[in-house]
């Protein structure tokens, strides 16, 4: 991942939130969206039938926000909510997009 870096946080309920934000000029927006697509395609492939709210027992859910700012900058925010098993698989697949120790 060149643009997206995920910041994990774990709630008291065992649900992990993985949030990434990238703010780039318009010329780099397609590259950011390609990374978003890569993450979401992985999630759909790996956990195809368990997308939805954690409160309903699902493994993962997502929220994608795209805003165009002044000066043509594009801000993309991707938030994933994850069960422990999704979070572990995500760490294994996207270690390079997580903060180092």
């Amino acid at each position: 991942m060149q643009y997206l870096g995920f910041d994990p946080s774990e709630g008291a309920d065992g649900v992990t939130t993985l949030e990434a934000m990238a703010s780039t000029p318009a010329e780099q927006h397609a590259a950011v969206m390609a990374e978003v697509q890569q993450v979401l395609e992985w999630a759909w492939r790996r956990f195809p039938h368990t997308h939805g709210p954690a409160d309903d027992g699902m493994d993962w859910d997502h929220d994608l926000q795209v805003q165009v700012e002044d000066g043509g900058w594009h801000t993309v925010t991707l938030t994933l909510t994850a069960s422990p098993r999704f979070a572990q698989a995500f760490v294994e697949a996207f270690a390079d997009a997580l903060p180092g120790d």
Side-chain angles (χ1 to χ4, degrees):
M1 297 274 136
Q2 183 175 348
Y3 297 98
L4 296 178
F6 286 85
D7 184 24
S9 62
E10 188 171 334
D13 57 0
V15 174
T16 298
T17 300
L18 300 153
E19 185 171 54
M21 181 188 302
S23 186
T24 61
E27 307 81 60
Q28 295 172 330
H29 181 67
V32 173
M33 293 308 295
E35 289 186 3
V36 167
Q37 184 174 354
Q38 177 185 353
V39 169
L40 293 177
E41 284 178 354
W42 170 86
W44 282 113
R45 238 183 359 264
R46 186 77 192 268
F47 296 88
H49 304 294
T50 57
H51 177 263
D55 291 345
D56 293 344
M58 299 298 181
D59 281 313
W60 71 286
D61 206 354
H62 76 284
D63 181 53
L64 176 62
Q65 301 289 322
V66 179
Q67 295 180 301
V68 179
E69 309 289 338
D70 290 339
W73 283 77
H74 290 69
T75 300
V76 175
T77 305
L78 176 61
T79 305
L80 302 170
T81 53
S83 69
R85 73 187 199 121
F86 183 97
Q88 180 61 39
F90 185 90
V91 166
E92 292 169 6
F94 296 101
D96 65 327
L98 296 164
D101 292 329

